[in-house]
Amino acid sequence: MESMPGWLFFLVAGVAGLELGGMATIFIQRWIDERPMLKPLRSACPSCGHTLSWRDTIPVVSFFVLKGRCRHCDAPIGGQYMLVELSCMAWSLALAHHFGPGPEWGIYLVLGVMLVAGSFIDFETMMLPDRVTLGGAVLALAAALILPEPGWLDSMAGAACGAGFFWLVQHAYRLWRKEEGIGTGDVKLMLMIGAVTGLTGLPVVILAAAATSGAACAVYLLRPGSKGLRTRIPFGPFLSLGCMLHILYGQHILRWLGL
Ligand SMILES: [Zn+2]
């Protein structure tokens, strides 16, 4: 891969991001609908059940060719899923730009796509699949043996402290407010995120998640018809965003904060 011309690598990165994004949309749909992941192999229209041919499932392209509608029954499909595909493509290109060809690009691409899929599911259902959180933790711990940063010891410490800290906050909140503040899915997600960023990266992740979720809360509260402070918003997407920001800009953020 080292000898590949730059433009070709970006092309590969863009297509790989879109394709993984397409797979993520299938995972999201099937997880939410509690359908088997691999059966049927081909996706079907959620409205009329027609099996979609390969040319109807090309990420983004098919959406525009079909104008966001099913070829058979004309039901609108795929609008929100195009957002997933485009997010994954943008993530892949950002990684390609930051790391160049190499194992970092591939490993962080897969981990980031898992975080994007988990975030969309969390927004829809307020739940995070174990396949994303625990699966991602195993993958990130294994990847720490290959990647130069953060090193496997820091990665293990990050997983233990990230999950441990959120577990403590979860139990403290339960005792204090007698209700659920942080879900167990978030605790498991921190196992994965801590393993990705290492212990040294956790402050950046938590600061970024707090800042972005605070901003999102303000938008939620100002929205007409909001239920005020009773509005529940998922925390997983913001932790995921913090983790992805750390992968790209962690060192800059730490330097900027003077740490
Ligand atoms: Zn249809």
Side-chain angles (χ1 to χ4, degrees), residues 1-253:
M1 279 224 282
E2 311 296 320
S3 58
M4 194 188 275
W7 63 267
L8 184 59
F9 175 57
F10 276 95
L11 186 68
V12 169
V15 173
L18 274 181
E19 278 303 324
L20 279 178
M23 285 158 75
T25 64
I26 296 176
F27 174 77
I28 294 170
Q29 280 171 318
R30 294 186 180 183
W31 196 87
I32 291 176
D33 298 345
E34 295 178 28
R35 279 185 288 141
M37 280 302 152
L38 296 174
K39 270 198 314 193
L41 219 46
R42 302 286 266 293
S43 359
C45 165
S47 179
C48 68
H50 243 100
T51 304
L52 301 176
S53 71
W54 66 268
R55 34 184 202 129
D56 293 346
T57 53
I58 306 165
V60 182
V61 176
S62 298
F63 180 81
F64 283 109
V65 171
L66 298 170
K67 301 193 181 68
R69 292 184 176 278
C70 170
R71 190 187 289 284
H72 306 283
C73 71
D74 223 32
I77 42 171
Q80 70 275 42
Y81 294 115
M82 197 174 69
L83 194 60
V84 175
E85 291 161 355
L86 289 176
S87 310
C88 293
M89 182 179 77
W91 175 241
S92 181
L93 290 173
L95 288 173
H97 175 73
H98 193 83
F99 291 105
E104 281 102 340
W105 168 73
I107 289 169
Y108 289 135
L109 173 59
V110 172
L111 288 167
V113 168
M114 291 171 84
L115 289 172
V116 168
S119 297
F120 272 81
I121 290 175
D122 203 6
F123 268 125
E124 292 263 321
T125 66
M126 299 288 289
M127 286 190 284
L128 282 162
D130 284 348
R131 278 186 233 211
V132 168
T133 56
L134 301 182
V138 170
L139 182 62
L141 286 170
L145 298 170
I146 308 170
L147 297 177
E149 296 283 336
W152 68 269
L153 202 60
D154 196 7
S155 174
M156 302 250 280
C161 293
F165 175 69
F166 270 64
W167 184 85
L168 279 177
V169 174
Q170 181 190 33
H171 283 73
Y173 193 92
R174 240 182 233 164
L175 284 175
W176 175 48
R177 297 291 297 269
K178 307 271 184 283
E179 62 177 17
E180 208 60 24
I182 287 179
T184 306
D186 292 325
V187 176
K188 293 177 190 163
L189 179 65
M190 284 310 291
L191 198 66
M192 169 186 186
I193 290 179
V196 174
T197 66
L199 185 55
T200 42
L202 283 179
V204 170
V205 173
I206 293 171
L207 277 177
T212 49
S213 67
C217 272
V219 173
Y220 261 66
L221 290 179
L222 294 173
R223 221 174 36 165
S226 93
K227 283 181 278 173
L229 289 171
R230 309 301 308 165
T231 311
R232 284 177 61 91
I233 67 163
F235 200 38
F238 301 101
L239 291 169
S240 302
L241 182 65
C243 177
M244 292 164 83
L245 283 174
H246 178 271
I247 291 171
L248 291 177
Y249 306 115
Q251 299 308 319
H252 299 285
I253 298 171

